[in-house]
Amino acid sequence: MSITKRRRLVATAVAVALGSTALAACGSSDEDGGAESGPVSLTYWTWTPGMDKVVDLWNKGQGKKDRITVTVKKQASGDTLITKILTAHKAGKAPDLVQAEYQALPTLVSNDALADIGKDVGDAKSKFADGVWQQTTLGTDAVYAVPQDIGPMMFYYRADLFKTYGLTVPTTWEQFAETARALKKKAPDTDLTTFSANDSGLFAGLAQQAGAKWWTTSGDKWKVGIDDAATKKVADFWGGLVKEGAVDNQPMYTPAWNKALDTGKQIAWVSAVWAPGTLTTAAPDTKGKWAMAPLPQWSAGENVTGSWGGSSTAVTTDSKHKSAAAKFAAWLNTDGDALNALAKEGGIYPASTSAQLSGAFITPPDYFSNQADFYTTAAKIAKTTAPSAWGPNVNVAYTSFKDAFGAAAKNKSDFSAALDKMQSDTVADMKKQGFGVSE
């Protein structure tokens, strides 16, 4: 089958929600031939710190009982890992299990690298919020992975400095802009926050919250909507704040950014649930002075957030033991002991809703010891995560974002034009790869 035809068939499967049948030829869990008759050895590629210790729990417990042994092979994350998986798959030598970020799943599925494990993960779906589970099905009847960790977005702010400057925590984006301007009038050298053009995942999450659907399918073709109305609204909002100087335009995760947070030159941060770990390193002198609140909304009374980060556990089509691998993937991301170990050893925020209010998440992060309800609030926010719509070339869109928005932020020029560039670059790449794209 030609690459073009195969990719169009994948798009069709996504569009009509027939993934569990139309993609069966790509490798379903039924290829195991039923229950395993002897010891099974599985290989798992992952970047999560301490995963070997978590897997030890399986190997000494449920895995020993089921005669299924898992070996962890530590890997790099991001595009590096996806490229390695696809290279191994082309040679028919991909590992049994892989950790994959949600936005990478369409790329792996469109290359026939992931198996449908829907029949082998039991009632796993009931353990996750609908918006999270949807990311592993791609809107089809198939299940291509089990959610592992998530990154619901929220608003972090210096509670002490908000009080000093007489500021109110914004509940809408309009209020957010007004707060940024009010702060500038009271303290011209201080910024509410910064727009970081280095962080495509942050922008994607903000667009997701606004209702964006960057990739969808129609018939046998993909439709790219990176320049849709929701995303344009987000781009224009932040572009306007940067142009007028109401917020900073410097990238995050630099020594200068760290210093701004630690000295009170920047007093708020739009981030995700994993922010306490970053703040601990970036702004150690301000421990106990920050607070967390839900993300501002586009309309008063709304209650929705975006997602920045998160990953899943998937089974490859090359695995000769798909059912066994799927059983481990389900255990890893739904078993209480496994999830507590993942939180302790890997520092993850679990996708499983029950785990978000137990074990390591009963008490607040040390950095936020002053906010006893930190994880209770985080769990409520996580349930409001908007559905995502990822496509097969997220990496290209993200690279284009950094280039186009990087220049626009630096020059304080039109963000809308940068968004158009991001759209055109993504569409051109999809056509080049042989995907059918509707205009």
Side-chain angles (χ1 to χ4, degrees):
M1 183 184 296
S2 70
I3 292 177
T4 300
K5 186 176 181 181
R6 171 166 53 80
R7 286 177 172 166
R8 284 179 175 171
L9 284 176
V10 170
T12 302
V14 173
V16 300
L18 293 176
S20 58
T21 53
L23 294 180
C26 301
S28 73
S29 53
D30 292 338
E31 291 178 12
D32 279 310
E36 300 290 346
S37 58
V40 170
S41 294
L42 305 173
T43 301
Y44 177 27
W45 284 5
T46 174
W47 67 82
T48 299
M51 184 61 81
D52 53 337
K53 295 180 181 179
V54 182
V55 170
D56 277 345
L57 294 178
W58 165 268
N59 289 335
K60 295 175 181 177
Q62 189 64 44
K64 185 176 182 179
K65 183 188 302 182
D66 295 338
R67 303 173 77 192
I68 301 171
T69 301
V70 179
T71 300
V72 170
K73 297 291 184 181
K74 202 68 176 291
Q75 305 292 326
S77 60
D79 292 342
T80 301
L81 178 56
I82 299 306
T83 299
K84 187 173 182 179
I85 292 170
L86 293 178
T87 299
H89 171 62
K90 287 178 182 177
K93 297 180 179 179
D96 299 278
L97 295 131
V98 294
Q99 182 178 1
E101 293 175 294
Y102 297 115
Q103 69 266 24
L105 292 176
T107 299
L108 294 172
V109 170
S110 68
N111 281 278
D112 301 340
L114 299 187
D116 173 9
I117 55 175
K119 295 180 180 179
D120 297 304
V121 294
D123 65 345
K125 179 181 179 180
S126 66
K127 311 292 184 182
F128 307 96
D130 290 342
V132 173
W133 184 255
Q134 173 265 343
Q135 294 195 88
T136 65
T137 67
L138 308 187
T140 73
D141 291 337
V143 178
Y144 295 109
V146 180
Q148 181 166 298
D149 60 303
I150 56 174
M153 295 174 66
M154 43 203 67
F155 180 67
Y156 294 86
Y157 64 100
R158 281 284 299 273
D160 58 332
L161 294 182
F162 261 59
K163 185 176 181 180
T164 297
Y165 294 123
L167 304 175
T168 301
V169 178
T171 58
T172 67
W173 286 113
E174 182 180 358
Q175 291 174 7
F176 179 92
E178 293 170 353
T179 302
R181 296 179 185 116
L183 176 63
K184 273 296 176 185
K185 289 181 179 179
K186 296 178 179 180
D189 294 331
T190 302
D191 291 292
L192 180 64
T193 193
T194 187
F195 178 85
S196 178
N198 280 0
D199 294 276
S200 41
L202 170 57
F203 183 74
L206 291 171
Q208 178 187 350
Q209 184 212 21
K213 296 288 187 291
W214 283 4
W215 284 271
T216 54
T217 53
S218 178
D220 63 351
K221 292 184 177 182
W222 288 91
K223 181 174 178 59
V224 181
I226 291 174
D227 62 349
D228 64 10
T231 310
K232 279 189 176 294
K233 178 171 64 175
V234 175
D236 290 343
F237 175 81
W238 286 96
L241 291 178
V242 168
K243 188 172 184 178
E244 70 178 86
V247 300
D248 197 8
N249 61 344
Q250 301 303 309
M252 299 188 298
Y253 307 117
T254 64
W257 181 74
N258 292 347
K259 184 177 180 180
L261 291 177
D262 208 26
T263 60
K265 288 289 187 180
Q266 181 179 314
I267 67 170
W269 183 25
V270 176
S271 188
V273 70
W274 41 259
T278 301
L279 290 170
T280 299
T281 302
D285 294 339
T286 59
K287 176 184 175 182
K289 297 180 179 180
W290 290 77
M292 178 269 284
L295 209 60
Q297 303 293 306
W298 284 104
S299 298
E302 286 184 345
N303 188 21
V304 62
T305 194
S307 183
W308 184 8
S311 63
S312 63
T313 309
V315 176
T316 72
T317 51
D318 291 341
S319 175
K320 292 180 173 58
H321 308 288
K322 296 181 183 65
S323 292
K327 188 171 187 178
F328 167 77
W331 172 88
L332 179 66
N333 300 304
T334 61
D335 179 82
D337 291 337
L339 290 167
N340 281 333
L342 276 172
K344 178 183 177 182
E345 304 295 343
I348 73 158
Y349 184 72
S352 168
T353 53
S354 61
Q356 292 165 8
L357 292 173
S358 63
F361 305 100
I362 294 177
T363 57
D366 187 48
Y367 194 89
F368 282 81
S369 58
N370 60 310
Q371 189 170 359
D373 67 344
F374 183 94
Y375 281 125
T376 303
T377 301
K380 291 178 181 177
I381 293 172
K383 290 180 181 178
T384 70
T385 303
S388 63
W390 300 115
N393 64 339
V394 173
N395 60 321
V396 172
Y398 276 16
T399 298
S400 180
F401 169 84
K402 292 178 182 178
D403 292 341
F405 278 82
K410 182 179 180 180
N411 302 326
K412 296 187 177 182
S413 58
D414 187 12
F415 275 26
S416 187
L419 187 65
D420 291 341
K421 180 71 164 58
M422 190 177 167
Q423 166 82 11
S424 61
D425 286 350
T426 304
V427 170
D429 176 75
M430 290 187 70
K431 290 180 176 179
K432 182 179 179 181
Q433 289 192 60
F435 288 101
V437 182
S438 61
E439 298 299 331

